[in-house]
Amino acid sequence: MILDLFRLNGKTAVITGANTGLGQGFCIAFAEAGADVIGVARRSMQETKEKVEKAGGNFQEIIVDLSQPNAVELVMENCNSLCQNVDILVNNAGIIKREEAKDVTAENWDMVINLNERLVFFLSQAMANRYFLPNKSGKIINIASMLSYQGGIRVPAYAASKSAVMGITKALANEWAPFGINVNAIAPGYMATNNTTNLRNDTQRSEAILDRIPAGRWGTPNDIMGAGIYLASEASAYVNGFTLAVDGGWLAR
Ligand code: NAP
């Protein structure tokens, strides 16, 4: 049956940035689709755990600051002790620093690139070496952005990092598709989460953005869950290296 292709029963998903926003949404949706979920974040994921369990799912957590130099090793060590296998990785954790290009400090630049770009590559590499390549199966979903396609305003490091996410997605797909690993990305449009609080509080920018979204509203975490389940499941077995925009039509304008 076609709907069976979308089920995640028996799969284990590791989702970074799982305490809030889109990451929390992925945890709940993947659990509802049948996966065991391991959330990674630098602070308590109690709310996510409660929501996953309310949905009948199983949630375990790894608390680690993903900006620290040994973050990948810590995540992998924890995975080894929490589960037998990992089938799905969602590289969702990300940060944004809003500042004009003329003011960007090296410290802020490195902070954004380190989490949004470098970690995406090296956590994917570690998961592939430990689980996906030996299993000849696995799903990696990277969270890209409208700024994988566009330059944005006052967010140059973020735009650089999210453009890189789209490139990393294609590069890894080229190498790993022959091994049964699907590497794809989702580019969310403008979603009402912590990531966009400052933007939504800026009346002028907020109105300009809303004006340009054909769907006429900000997105919510629920809006991208269908894309997440699709890319995490067998339904997308022949989709490789693609960045799927879920943007209320933003890119179509
Ligand atoms: P969010 O609520 O700010 O979520 C970001 C997540 O990343 C949070 O869980 C955050 O944890 C985590 N994180 C940040 N730094 C971390 C670190 N050093 N170690 C561990 N975790 C860390 O915003 P969101 O919108 O859900 O963002 C999720 C992803 O979607 C990001 O990659 C973002 O760039 C991308 N995205 C969002 C939008 C949008 O419109 N909202 C659009 C395009 C792409 P803390 O709570 O501890 O900070």
Side-chain angles (χ1 to χ4, degrees):
M1 291 288 286
I2 185 66
L3 289 181
D4 289 334
L5 287 182
F6 291 85
R7 294 188 206 289
L8 302 180
N9 299 81
K11 306 290 185 191
T12 297
V14 172
I15 298 169
T16 67
N19 57 310
T20 180
L22 305 182
Q24 183 179 78
F26 284 122
C27 291
I28 299 163
F30 282 29
E32 286 180 358
D36 289 334
V37 177
I38 298 177
V40 183
R42 58 183 163 176
R43 63 181 92 186
S44 166
M45 285 162 271
Q46 187 57 30
E47 186 184 274
T48 304
K49 185 175 166 61
E50 284 166 13
K51 289 185 174 182
V52 165
E53 287 174 353
K54 198 169 165 207
N58 177 26
F59 183 85
Q60 300 186 90
E61 64 177 23
I62 299 174
I63 295 192
V64 57
D65 181 343
L66 292 170
S67 67
Q68 63 189 88
N70 61 342
V72 170
E73 289 75 16
L74 289 173
V75 172
M76 298 311 292
E77 276 169 23
N78 276 277
C79 281
N80 276 343
S81 52
L82 289 179
C83 64
Q84 297 291 319
N85 193 38
V86 174
D87 306 280
I88 302 158
L89 169 66
V90 184
N91 282 309
N92 167 76
I95 47 170
I96 189 162
K97 298 271 176 205
R98 294 187 187 280
E99 49 196 349
E100 288 183 35
K102 69 180 177 53
D103 299 325
V104 172
T105 61
E107 189 189 359
N108 281 351
W109 180 272
D110 290 347
M111 206 184 293
V112 172
I113 299 295
N114 186 43
L115 183 70
N116 294 10
E117 177 180 336
R118 192 175 188 277
L119 185 94
V120 168
F121 177 79
F122 284 104
L123 189 56
S124 300
Q125 181 196 58
M127 288 285 177
N129 284 334
R130 170 72 178 82
Y131 301 108
F132 305 155
L133 287 166
N135 292 343
K136 294 201 165 28
S137 134
K139 302 275 183 181
I140 298 175
I141 303 170
N142 297 323
I143 304 306
S145 166
M146 293 298 96
L147 303 194
S148 303
Y149 305 88
Q150 301 172 322
I153 298 171
R154 295 177 54 239
V155 285
Y158 187 81
S161 70
K162 292 297 183 177
S163 299
V165 165
M166 197 149 88
I168 290 169
T169 301
K170 289 186 271 196
L172 295 184
N174 289 341
E175 287 200 35
W176 294 343
F179 301 99
I181 302 168
N182 296 88
V183 187
N184 291 292
I186 297 172
Y190 286 85
M191 322 294 285
T193 67
N194 295 343
N195 177 283
T196 53
T197 305
N198 292 343
L199 203 51
R200 283 178 289 121
N201 289 341
D202 178 335
T203 321
Q204 244 182 342
R205 287 281 290 121
S206 177
E207 275 174 17
I209 285 167
L210 261 182
D211 236 23
R212 210 205 119 138
I213 302 174
R217 64 173 176 85
W218 289 75
T220 69
N222 276 346
D223 285 314
I224 68 168
M225 294 311 137
I229 299 294
Y230 172 59
L231 292 178
S233 69
E234 280 317 292
S236 60
Y238 199 57
V239 180
N240 299 92
F242 192 68
T243 297
L244 175 57
V246 181
D247 65 350
W250 173 272
L251 289 178
R253 282 290 288 271

